[in-house]
Structures are given as C-alpha cells and as structure tokens.
Amino acid sequence: MAKDVMSESELYKFLGKYGIKTPECKSVGLDEKISFSKFPAVIKIQSPKVVHKSDVGGVILHLNSNEDLENGRRQIIENLKKHNITLDSNDGFIITQMVFGEELYVGSVEDATFGNVILFGKGGIYLELYKDVCYIEANARKDEIKRAIATTKIGELFHGFRGFDYKEEWAINLIESVQKMLKENNIKELDINPLKLTKDGLIAVDARILKGDSTYKEDNREKKRPDFLDNKRVVIVGANTEKGKTGYTIARNARSFEGELFYVNAKGGELFGKKLYKSVNDIEGDIDTAVIVVAAKFVIPTIHDLVKKNLKNLIIITAGFKEAGNEKDELEIARLGKEHNFNIMGPNCLGFYEDSKKLNITFGTGEVHSGDLAFISQSGAVLASLMDRAAELNIGFSHLFSIGNAADLRAVDLIPMLDSAKTCKAITIYIEGAARGRSLCESIRNCKKPIYLFKAAKSEAAKKAAFSHTGNLSGNYAMFHGIMKSLGVHVVETLDSLIFAPLFKDVKNIVVITNAGGPGTVLTDAISNAGKNLYELNASQIAELDKALPPMWSHNNPIDVIGDALPDRYEHALKIADKFDNIDLIYMLITPQDMTDALGTVKILKQHNFKHKVVPILLGGENMREARKFCLDNDILFFASIAQACEFLPQS
C-alpha cells in the first residue's frame, strides 16, 4: 500500500480509535482460504490501484456463504481485468458483514479558503447526483453543526420523519469525531460512503483516507492591530481644488469631521477655508489616519513619510495596483503595513465613513444618514450605489468600509472591531473573493451582532470578472454559502437586501391590508415562502373591523378592504391593525383601481404615528407615480412589487 493511503482494514481500526462504529470484518489475500461467519456479507477489493471500487466491479454484495465469498473474489478479479487492473501479492480483499440502513455520507476536503471542511449528507452512489450535503468548518461548534444538518433534506430523518427514531446526537457526535481526527492527523481527504444509519446508530461501511501535510496557510499579523475606528487626526493626501476630481469630493465630504482635519497637495494653497500643506512632513505632530488620493507612483513614497508620523490607519483610494497587474507595489504596501503595524484599507477603494465622528472620507454621496448599520463592501461601485439608495430612503449607517483590493484589512479584521462598536447594531457584507477563511469563521463565530452577507462571483464567468475587478479569487460557492449558513449568517440573494434586510430582522408576524384579493394572495404566498407568518385574526379583532369595513371585506388576513377603498377605509383598517399585539409589520398593498387614491393613502403614514412598522407596496405604473414621489420626498420606505417586498425578509 502507498504510505499515504490506508487499506480498508487499517481504516476500520483507525476509525474505531475515534469512536466511529464499523462492521465486523476480515482481510484475506488473493488465494487465502476464506472463513467468515457473519452473513449476509460483502467482499471488496483492497488495493491502491483502485479508488472507486464500485466503478470497476470491485464490490460484491449479499453473499450468504463462504462459497459465495470465494466466487465473489473470483468475479472481482475478472471485473478488474476488464479495466486493465492486474492484482499482485500487495493486493487483497476485505470481507465485511452487510449493514442495512439509510445511506449517508461524511467526508472532508482541504479547501484553499477554509482549510479542512467537513461534508455530511445523503450518501451512496447518488451522492454526486443529488448533492444533498452540508458544509461544516473544521472548528465548528455544536450549534453550527446542528444548523448545517438542518439545511439538508436527509436531516429530517433525525426529527421523527415517518416515525423513525433516529437521534440527531448520533450525527453531531460523528462529526465531532471527524473534527478530532482532523486536528490530530494530517488528512488531506476523507470519504466515508456509505455511512449506514441504523437503529443502533451510524456505522461506517466503506471509507477512504488520503494523508498528507496541510498546505493551508493564513497570512495573519503577529502584532495586535491598532483600532481602525480610532480616528482623531486625519490627513487627506491629494486633496484637490478642482471640482469633479476625487480629491475634491473626499475633501468636501470630510469637512463635517469632528476631529482635526488636514489637507495635503504639493501645489499648496487653500481649500474650503483650510490650508493646503505641500507635504505630510509640514504637519506638526502625529497623524493617526491618512487618506491617499495621489497617483499610484507616489503612494509608496507618501507612506514612507506617513510612518514617521506614527500612522495607525491608511486608506488608499488610488487604483492601479493588483487589479491592473501591478501586484509588486501592492505587496510592498502590505509589507510596510506589517513592518510598521498600521492598518491598510484598499488600494482601489471608495473610502471610509464613521457616523459617531461625522467622518466621511469617501467619494460617494455626501448625504449619509445616521443609523446603526455597518456595511463592508469589496466593491466601491456597489457601496456607492447602495449609499445613494439608502440616502434616498432615509436609511442610515454607523460605518461604511470599502476594502477594495484588500491588501490588508478584510471583513475578518473589521467584524471584531464592529462587534465592540456601540453605535453598530448589525453588520452587512458584500464579498467577492474570500481569504483567511478559517479566521473569518472565527470572527463571525464570536460576533454577537447579526451579520448579513451577499456573495458575488458564484459562477465560473463571474469568478473571472471578480479577478479582473479586485484581484481576488473566489472559491466554491456552495461550500462558502453552506459554511456561512451554519455560522448563523443571513445570506441574502440581492444587493438591495444588504441595506433592507436588517430593517426586517425581527419580523415574524405580518398583517396585510389590501384593496385586491389576487395580489393579496400572491403576497401571502411570498410571505410564507420567506418563512414568515401571516397573523391570524381573532373574533374580537374581526368584530372591530366589521364596524369599520364593508360587509364583504375578507374577514381574515389579508384584510381585503375591497377595490373601491378610499384613504379613509385604509386609515380605519390601519388604526385597528396597529392595536394588535404580537405583530411586527403591516404591509399596505395598493393596486391601481378606478377608485384608488394612492397618494392620499400613503399620506396617512405622515398624518399618524403608528406603533408598528407600516410599509406600502405600490403596484402599478403611472397611477402610482405621485404616491412613490411622496414616499421618496418624505423618507417613507416603500416597495414597487410583491417580490421586492418579500426578498428582504431574512430567512429564519
């Protein structure tokens, strides 16, 4: 046997050391007399020449005597010859007692992003076809393992499916055994398939282990990082007096900063009533935070000047590095950050915003509302568009980070800082390529705040686009998605969800008020598909609505106020629904019918201070134009479609 591959009999002993059950077995040579007593039995080839036994006829099942086993051995030898596999004295066979039960699977691979990742799910020959598996990071805790198993269809077997009495603890204990095995051994790949689920527990019937030294490495800092959120003296190197230039926009947006702000431009002069220093060296005292907006060739010389000022945080807006083929300079920038222990955001980024200090050093919109949402984005364009969208709808932020090429700072570093930031209540992340995945998992695992994440570069074509855009490679999306879900991350499927989903994070029970039954039914389905509940009206609530609505109203939720409803009827229904306990959201669905006064109806939301969140859904085109404009002008969140309204509801 090759030294890095175990025989099956060796594997059974190895698995037994970790408490993993295996069937009774016996190894025999090519010509050795067979004597086995546990039937029905299975005979399988044991040879390093054969990886997938079933594919070459290397397994014979349902054998009921030693004579059958002898015949089975001869049959396997003939099958292998047809595949040009000739056996020798180093090869042999293993006989095992047959085990009956549902076929499951557990395995592990070494992934470039996360290191060892465990897979668990439906096994057997259809493993690759159905792909009903979950992904579990090697250091996952028990709650993560449970969440991962719950994402599989086969996981229902552990919750009384059709009366089966299988214990979920069996699967959790098995996965924990695999975790221990991976920590104590150099295992490149593990494959236990099938893993039989029986009334007595889980039994590993067939297994394969490939040993080898790990190649997974993370480029982490040895020294403790400065706090990126500690900004008192800020300098903008490349501040510009010419409107339309990035240096001008950033200098303008930064004027509201409550700390000390300095502008640097080699030409000198004045900008927004402040002196333009010709060099960083002309500024007295230390500088904790610097923004660089100069040409790429001047970035490294500028950094050498800044480190003399005890620099803690560097934000490089300038492009022209790894994403443009200039990886050498980007690596040098990263090296300087490590050597002098300062944080680097970028290069090729939009900038940074922190609400508590009114610090806007971005070239996005200057209008950013105060809020409790932090947003980390690997794409400056995505961040800029969502900043603009949020400003329009009065959605506020506590922090904004554009990490760009991520030469240094990534979400993994920022999550712990945000977890400690009092002004941040939720974290959203737009990510294209992930690195230091094991540490990322640990940061998320230890974070007490809800995290919402959108992963781009899911397809092969998108991965190439991401590389040309930010210079970051993407891994296997199914694995990434599965691990994030197991960690409790809300993985969203649209970009808008990054800013809207946190607004609906606590929504469970919903009331719908509508002037049309059909759209109300469609909305009901969408709410159900999102895993939320349509609030059930009780008798007294129905009686109160009876007094305010026409006799033909729906008498259930959705509350159909009928197609001729004017604003006063919506108002009556809203006031009654707002008194309901245990509801989290009221959708006010308005469709364009002959009597509909959409503008008058949305105006109700400015006339009353409702206890519950009320969100209009304005279906239609021209007839909804004035109502939509009123909502925009008055900072009222609204949706233009049923699908849009429900895609932001985080899945439970």
Side-chain angles (χ1 to χ4, degrees), residues 341-449:
N341 199 33
F342 59 84
N343 297 308
I344 304 164
M345 182 165 288
N348 184 30
C349 74
L350 187 80
F352 167 64
Y353 168 88
E354 184 180 0
D355 181 59
S356 66
K357 299 183 180 70
K358 302 303 175 190
L359 177 58
N360 184 353
I361 39 181
T362 75
F363 60 95
T365 177
E367 183 186 3
V368 183
H369 298 291
S370 294
D372 56 19
L373 177 63
F375 183 16
I376 303 167
S377 178
Q378 200 166 333
S379 165
V382 168
L383 176 58
S385 64
L386 290 181
M387 284 173 70
D388 195 51
R389 182 99 162 95
E392 182 181 61
L393 295 173
N394 198 30
I395 296 171
F397 297 99
S398 62
H399 304 82
L400 295 167
F401 305 88
S402 171
I403 63 175
N405 289 5
D408 177 35
L409 280 175
R410 293 176 174 266
V412 57
D413 308 298
L414 297 170
I415 289 169
M417 297 181 196
L418 289 169
D419 196 37
S420 300
K422 293 180 181 178
T423 54
C424 168
K425 296 292 189 293
I427 302 167
T428 63
I429 303 169
Y430 169 85
I431 193 167
E432 290 173 355
R436 293 160 57 205
R438 189 176 289 169
S439 294
L440 176 63
C441 290
E442 197 63 23
S443 289
I444 294 171
R445 189 173 288 130
N446 295 326
C447 183
K448 302 177 188 67
K449 296 173 181 176

Side-chain angles (χ1 to χ4, degrees), residues 63 75 258 327 524:
L63 304 175
Q75 182 63 57
E258 294 178 350
E327 188 171 17
T524 299

Side-chain angles (χ1 to χ4, degrees), residues 451-468:
I451 296 175
Y452 302 81
L453 182 145
F454 179 95
K455 173 71 166 68
K458 300 173 188 178
S459 66
E460 290 302 318
K463 288 177 191 178
K464 292 174 185 175
F467 182 80
S468 63

